[in-house]
Amino acid sequence: MFSREHLLNELQEEFPLVRDWLIYIRDNEEDTKWIHDLIDASPKQFEQWVLYLSEGIRLLPTRPVRLSVFSQIITLDANAFDPASSLGKLWLHVLAETKRVHSKEHIVMPTDQKAVSDLLEDYHLYREDISDSVTAVNLFAETASGYHPVWEAAVHSHSVLTVPLREVVKLRAVYPAHEQPIVWIIDNAEVFSRIADRVPTLPMICTKEKWTRTAWGVFDRLIANGAELRFVGDLTPQGIVRAEELLLRYPDRTRTWQMDVETYLKAKDETLDLTDSDYALLDKQHVDYLACLKDEMRDQGHPGHLMTVIDELIEKLNHYYRK
C-alpha cells in the first residue's frame, strides 16, 4: 500500500541535497497540501521531479544564467522550470526553503511576478522577459570576450540603446564613455530625449519613472566599475521617493542633481495640487539632504516638473560636456 511518508523518507536518503525540504513537506502537511496532492496524483512523477530539483541545487550557477538555459541543462526541457508549471512551482518552493534562516520558520512562497523574479535572481537565475529593459546612451559594455560591439558602435554614433534583461546578464562590466566617471539617471523620458538631442556626449540612462531588473543590473555593474550615479527626477513626491530609493541602495556612489528648493520654486506647477497620497509619499523615506525640498513642497502644496526648466538644465550640462 502506498505511503506518502514512506516515499518522502526514502527520497530523503536518496537525495540529501533536498533533505531539509523533504522533511518540511513531511512535517507540514497543511502548509504543503498542494505538494501532497502532486505526490498522490503520481508518486513516480514526483520522484522524477525530486531528482531534477536535487540536480538543480547541485548545479546552482555562480554567475547569471537564463532560467530556460538552466532548465535545459537540468531536465533537457527549456520550459520545465517555468514558474507556472508544477515543477517550476516546486523549484520556487525549494529555493524559498533554502533561504530559511531557521528550521522552525515556515516556507514563504513569492506572491507576485516581481517576488518570483527576485527569488530566482538571488540564485543567479533570470527569466526571459524582453519587456524588462533599460534605455541608455554613451555607455561602453564588456562581455567575457571583451568590448561589446553593439554598445561600442552606439557610443561612436551617440545612438540610444534599449537593452533587454537577457542581454544585460551577459555583461561583465558597464562604464561611461567619458573621462568623467559619472552616469546621469534621467527619470523622465521627455527630459532624457531633450538632453540627448542637445548634450550628445552625456552618458545617460532613462528609467521612464520605474525601476526594472535590467536597470538595477546595469547600475550594479556601473558601481562595481567605479562609476558614480547622478539622479535627475521630477520635483514630485514620486520623484523624491525614487531618488531616495537609489540613494539608499548606493549611498556612497549616488547624488541627486537639481533636486533642490531653488529649482523646485522655478519648476513648480501651481495648476496642480498635491493629493493626500502625495503627502504620504513625502513621509516614506528619510534622506537628510532632501529634507528641505520635502518641507518646501509640503508648504507650497504643488509638484514641480523639470521640463519647465529644461533649457536651464541643458545649459548647465553643456558647460561640462562640450563636444
Side-chain angles (χ1 to χ4, degrees):
M1 181 177 178
F2 168 70
S3 165
R4 238 186 288 130
E5 183 173 354
H6 179 70
L7 174 62
L8 290 170
N9 287 337
E10 282 191 338
L11 293 176
Q12 290 171 39
E13 298 299 321
E14 189 174 353
F15 301 105
L17 290 178
V18 289
R19 181 175 181 273
D20 289 345
W21 176 70
L22 291 164
I23 291 173
Y24 183 90
I25 295 170
R26 186 196 65 195
D27 295 344
N28 294 270
E29 183 172 350
E30 184 176 343
D31 188 38
T32 58
K33 183 180 183 305
W34 63 278
I35 299 178
H36 286 264
D37 290 342
L38 291 175
I39 298 172
D40 291 343
S42 177
K44 185 171 280 300
Q45 177 65 80
F46 183 75
E47 188 170 355
Q48 181 64 51
W49 283 338
V50 173
L51 169 63
Y52 291 148
L53 297 172
S54 179
E55 281 298 281
I57 291 296
R58 186 175 72 84
L59 296 176
L60 276 173
T62 57
R63 60 185 181 84
V65 173
R66 297 205 310 277
L67 181 63
S68 61
V69 174
F70 182 74
S71 181
Q72 180 75 37
I73 292 169
I74 301 299
T75 71
L76 303 181
D77 178 358
N79 298 314
F81 276 177
D82 186 296
S85 70
S86 294
L87 178 57
K89 291 174 183 175
L90 291 172
W91 179 236
L92 292 176
H93 201 259
V94 168
L95 294 182
E97 192 282 327
T98 304
K99 287 180 69 71
R100 285 194 305 159
V101 176
H102 195 282
S103 61
K104 291 183 179 179
E105 294 178 0
H106 281 285
I107 294 176
V108 179
M109 284 282 278
T111 56
D112 55 37
Q113 292 300 312
K114 182 181 183 302
V116 168
S117 297
D118 288 345
L119 176 59
L120 290 169
E121 288 172 29
D122 284 341
Y123 297 93
H124 302 293
L125 297 170
Y126 290 78
R127 300 170 71 185
E128 305 283 354
D129 186 357
I130 62 170
S131 66
D132 191 308
S133 61
V134 68
T135 299
V137 65
N138 297 318
L139 297 179
F140 283 123
E142 293 182 11
T143 66
S145 303
Y147 274 129
H148 194 296
V150 173
W151 291 66
E152 188 174 12
V155 166
H156 293 315
S157 61
H158 301 306
S159 297
V160 175
L161 285 178
T162 297
V163 186
L165 179 64
R166 61 173 288 146
E167 298 301 324
V168 167
V169 298
K170 302 173 185 176
L171 303 179
R172 293 292 182 86
V174 181
Y175 45 92
H178 196 277
E179 61 185 13
Q180 295 191 59
I182 297 171
V183 177
W184 299 75
I185 312 302
I186 313 297
D187 212 29
N188 182 300
E190 189 175 3
V191 172
F192 175 90
S193 295
R194 291 285 291 276
I195 294 175
D197 288 341
R198 295 173 59 186
V199 196
T201 61
L202 193 69
M204 291 190 293
I205 290 172
C206 183
T207 54
K208 304 174 189 175
E209 300 179 348
K210 65 178 182 179
W211 301 127
T212 63
R213 289 175 290 139
T214 314
W216 289 121
V218 173
F219 295 160
D220 288 344
R221 288 162 174 78
L222 286 167
I223 296 296
N225 208 58
E228 298 179 10
L229 306 181
R230 294 286 184 275
F231 183 81
V232 184
D234 272 322
L235 300 162
T236 64
Q238 293 80 5
I240 293 173
V241 165
R242 289 168 49 67
E244 291 183 317
E245 288 170 345
L246 196 63
L247 287 159
L248 291 169
R249 178 147 174 165
Y250 309 110
D252 299 325
R253 308 295 294 177
T254 304
R255 295 290 182 270
T256 60
W257 187 68
Q258 299 300 117
M259 297 187 72
D260 51 44
V261 172
E262 181 182 356
T263 306
Y264 166 68
L265 292 175
K266 295 176 185 177
K268 72 175 179 176
D269 184 351
E270 295 186 347
T271 67
L272 296 174
D273 296 326
L274 298 181
T275 65
D276 289 343
S277 60
D278 287 333
Y279 284 109
L281 282 177
L282 291 176
D283 295 326
K284 183 177 180 182
Q285 309 278 11
H286 298 285
V287 175
D288 288 347
Y289 80 87
L290 290 173
C292 291
L293 173 60
K294 285 184 173 184
D295 289 343
E296 188 67 33
M297 193 173 293
R298 287 189 190 94
D299 292 343
Q300 296 285 337
H302 306 291
H305 296 97
L306 291 181
M307 282 302 297
T308 307
V309 293
I310 187 65
D311 290 333
E312 182 179 328
L313 301 185
I314 288 172
E315 182 180 351
K316 290 181 178 180
L317 289 170
N318 261 322
H319 178 73
Y320 297 104
Y321 289 85
R322 296 185 189 280
K323 291 183 182 179

